[in-house]
Amino acid sequence: MGTTTRTRYVLIGAGNRCEMYITSMLGDHSNVAELVALADTNPGRIEYYQDVVEQTFGERLGAFDPEELDSFIREHSIDRVIITTPDYTHASLICTSMYAGADVIVEKPLTIDAESTARIAQAMTDTGREVIVAFNYRYSPRNTALKKAIDDGLIGQVTSIDFNWMLDTVHGADYFRRWHRLKENSGGLLIHKSSHHFDLVNWWIDDSPKSVFAAGGLKFYGPKNAESRGLAAHERGTHEFSDQEPFDLDLRSDERLEKLYLANEHFDGYRRDQGVFNGEISIEDNLSLTVQYDKGPILSYSLNAHSPWEGYRVAINGTEGRLELDVVERAAVLPAAGGRPVDPSFSDDGQSSKIRAKGERLVVQRHWQEAEEIPIINSDGSHGGGDKLLLEELFEGRQADAYSRQAGFLDGARAIAVGICGNKSLETGALVDVTSAGLGVNLSSIEKVQV
């Protein structure tokens, strides 16, 4: 019997998000994936994961400086690069990887602006390499169930979408502690977080955004808002003061965060626990958009980053009825929760009550008929088992999928196009045509990049 040739990987970005990929390549998918090395600008975070790997799998990985990416790919015959670094670094790392001869898997968003999107598009043309964007929300059973209902024609032709996303005062606040708080790093929540949501809409209705109008601002976090409400504005959450605030994240309260970030600050000065009411914050916490699509549907979207509960509500209106998906990921943030930055989609601390309970419900109601609930079938693991499906496709190869869940470059570009144009609309107060954004790619192209 012959042996299976394993795909050779390197992973860049030893932050919180990378562990899912590391354990998958060294565990469930080690028969087809070989993780050769890790890279990060902070050697302490590399050492943290080396310890995790050694304790769990009994081995150590290679390591290199991200500046050496080009030469490392060439010298070690790397097939694929996984990128889990801050958003503003994505484009450079993607392009370097492709020109060096490797394909790319990148965490969302693809990148943060039109110029860098065009750079990636050109690199793909020049090299013929592939880019996969890890949109794990597509694989969540509830989102797939909604996609199937639309594809099955249960509501006829889609005419409009109402989409409201609530980030709570644990998860939402965390974007205002980290590097995301500066728009130059993340593109703001319209790109960093909302690219997930815009991708869902694009995928659900199989359409491309045509024009965007946005409104919003920083209305809750930041020093000015704290001053107007008489709130304390600590420089950081890890401190020795007796007056610990609910929004303070003390890194010492979480062993993993302490080892990964607090213990390694001396290498680069990065603070994971900046005060949400202190210092420079250039992103918005309240946002509203109207998006016109090529085939006619209109999206009305809102994002709030200081909600007392977390989840989302989406309604798809069609010529023959309406679909409604209601999701509560965390029903309440109680004082005892503190500032620990737990994404409720990865946890079970739903804080359910009789009034609001953690859960999900998909309903269809056709014209002249009563409402019916559509079953959502979950499995084990985060996002209802969706992350497991995502990883299987990434490492085992693309499977026959009626819902085309694996996302390529064009999907990534379509998702951030809404945020890029939304940011421009926020600056100008005007409606922004997507074709004028300078993305370097025709988003309406029927030729999707094969991944």
Side-chain angles (χ1 to χ4, degrees):
M1 295 179 62
T3 58
T4 301
T5 300
R6 295 193 296 170
T7 302
R8 290 171 61 80
Y9 290 84
V10 294
L11 186 148
I12 304 179
N16 191 57
R17 185 62 176 162
C18 74
E19 189 165 350
M20 175 180 77
Y21 296 101
I22 293 174
T23 56
S24 293
M25 286 184 281
L26 297 177
D28 290 345
H29 303 292
S30 60
N31 61 316
V32 293
E34 179 184 0
L35 179 56
V36 177
L38 305 176
D40 195 279
T41 56
N42 187 305
R45 289 198 288 272
I46 288 287
E47 190 57 33
Y48 170 85
Y49 281 109
Q50 291 283 26
D51 290 343
V52 170
V53 168
E54 188 167 21
Q55 292 170 20
T56 307
F57 300 99
E59 61 180 281
R60 287 180 69 84
L61 301 168
F64 64 97
D65 190 304
E67 294 292 330
E68 302 169 352
L69 176 60
D70 181 279
S71 60
F72 196 93
I73 290 172
R74 297 177 190 275
E75 292 171 10
H76 294 83
S77 301
I78 301 303
D79 301 304
R80 269 182 167 182
V81 176
I82 299 176
I83 299 171
T84 60
T85 56
D87 304 345
Y88 70 95
T89 67
H90 287 183
S92 178
L93 294 171
I94 291 170
C95 292
T96 296
S97 299
M98 289 194 292
Y99 283 119
D103 297 321
V104 174
I105 297 171
V106 61
E107 271 291 305
K108 62 84 191 165
L110 174 69
T111 184
I112 65 170
D113 54 32
E115 180 183 9
S116 57
T117 306
R119 285 174 54 205
I120 296 170
Q122 186 61 55
M124 291 187 66
T125 299
D126 292 344
T127 66
R129 307 312 305 187
E130 299 170 342
V131 176
I132 296 173
V133 185
F135 282 126
N136 59 335
Y137 279 8
R138 289 186 176 201
Y139 295 82
S140 178
R142 59 194 178 219
N143 296 325
T144 302
L146 179 54
K147 168 71 170 171
K148 182 180 186 302
I150 296 171
D151 289 352
D152 287 348
L154 295 188
I155 59 169
Q157 182 179 345
V158 173
T159 59
S160 64
I161 307 99
D162 296 312
F163 198 166
N164 311 114
W165 200 286
M166 284 65 66
L167 290 167
D168 66 28
T169 49
V170 168
H171 186 203
D174 206 43
Y175 295 109
F176 297 83
R177 298 187 182 105
R178 298 179 282 167
W179 52 264
H180 311 71
R181 61 196 262 147
L182 298 180
K183 189 169 282 192
E184 64 194 55
N185 292 338
S186 64
L189 291 181
L190 279 183
I191 290 179
H192 176 79
K193 185 62 179 175
S194 299
S195 64
H196 258 321
H197 314 155
F198 301 141
D199 175 68
L200 282 177
V201 175
N202 300 343
W203 172 65
W204 279 330
I205 67 175
D206 190 24
D207 207 346
S208 297
K210 181 179 180 181
S211 62
V212 181
F213 179 80
L218 184 65
K219 300 179 181 297
F220 184 81
Y221 302 107
K224 290 184 179 179
N225 293 313
E227 182 179 358
S228 69
R229 301 200 302 275
L231 300 176
H234 294 151
E235 182 181 358
R236 64 181 307 177
T238 306
H239 55 71
E240 303 299 336
F241 310 137
S242 60
D243 56 336
Q244 198 82 14
E245 297 293 330
F247 284 97
D248 287 345
L249 169 62
D250 191 332
L251 295 173
R252 297 166 300 185
S253 67
D254 185 296
E255 183 180 3
R256 187 171 186 273
L257 292 179
E258 182 176 16
K259 290 182 176 180
L260 188 55
Y261 294 107
L262 186 62
N264 296 311
E265 284 183 2
H266 63 283
F267 287 109
D268 56 14
Y270 175 61
R271 290 185 172 185
R272 172 67 178 76
D273 62 337
Q274 296 175 79
V276 299
F277 298 118
N278 182 77
E280 182 183 1
I281 298 176
S282 56
I283 65 173
E284 300 83 13
D285 54 27
N286 281 256
L287 290 154
S288 178
L289 279 79
T290 300
V291 183
Q292 179 74 51
Y293 277 82
D294 280 340
K295 298 176 185 177
I298 300 170
L299 165 66
S300 176
Y301 171 84
S302 69
L303 175 72
N304 179 280
H306 56 90
S307 171
W309 66 279
E310 178 143 339
Y312 60 100
R313 290 172 169 165
V314 58
I316 313 288
N317 300 298
T319 55
E320 297 179 23
R322 177 179 170 99
L323 283 157
E324 298 172 348
L325 175 61
D326 291 309
V327 178
V328 176
E329 294 185 330
R330 182 158 44 217
V333 177
L334 304 181
R340 291 188 62 207
V342 180
D343 180 346
S345 64
F346 285 94
S347 68
D348 292 321
D349 62 338
Q351 302 288 356
S352 295
S353 69
K354 292 181 179 179
I355 303 299
R356 195 188 307 280
K358 181 171 182 175
E360 57 193 10
R361 190 182 191 194
L362 177 60
V363 172
V364 62
Q365 186 164 5
R366 292 170 55 81
H367 292 157
W368 328 119
Q369 297 180 20
E370 294 182 353
E372 297 180 23
E373 185 168 354
I374 298 175
I376 299 171
I377 303 173
N378 291 302
S379 58
D380 294 335
S382 54
H383 294 108
D387 283 352
K388 181 180 179 181
L389 295 174
L390 166 71
L391 293 167
E392 285 178 356
E393 280 207 336
L394 289 179
F395 297 121
E396 303 288 343
R398 193 171 190 175
Q399 308 298 315
D401 183 1
Y403 310 112
S404 300
R405 283 174 289 195
Q406 192 169 101
F409 165 76
L410 187 58
D411 301 300
R414 283 173 172 163
I416 61 172
V418 180
I420 290 169
C421 293
N423 280 333
K424 187 173 182 181
S425 181
L426 288 173
E427 294 173 4
T428 64
L431 179 74
V432 178
D433 190 295
V434 175
T435 59
S436 68
L439 296 166
V441 62
N442 178 11
L443 298 183
S444 299
S445 172
I446 61 172
E447 297 180 6
K448 289 194 175 185
V449 178
Q450 297 300 310
V451 293

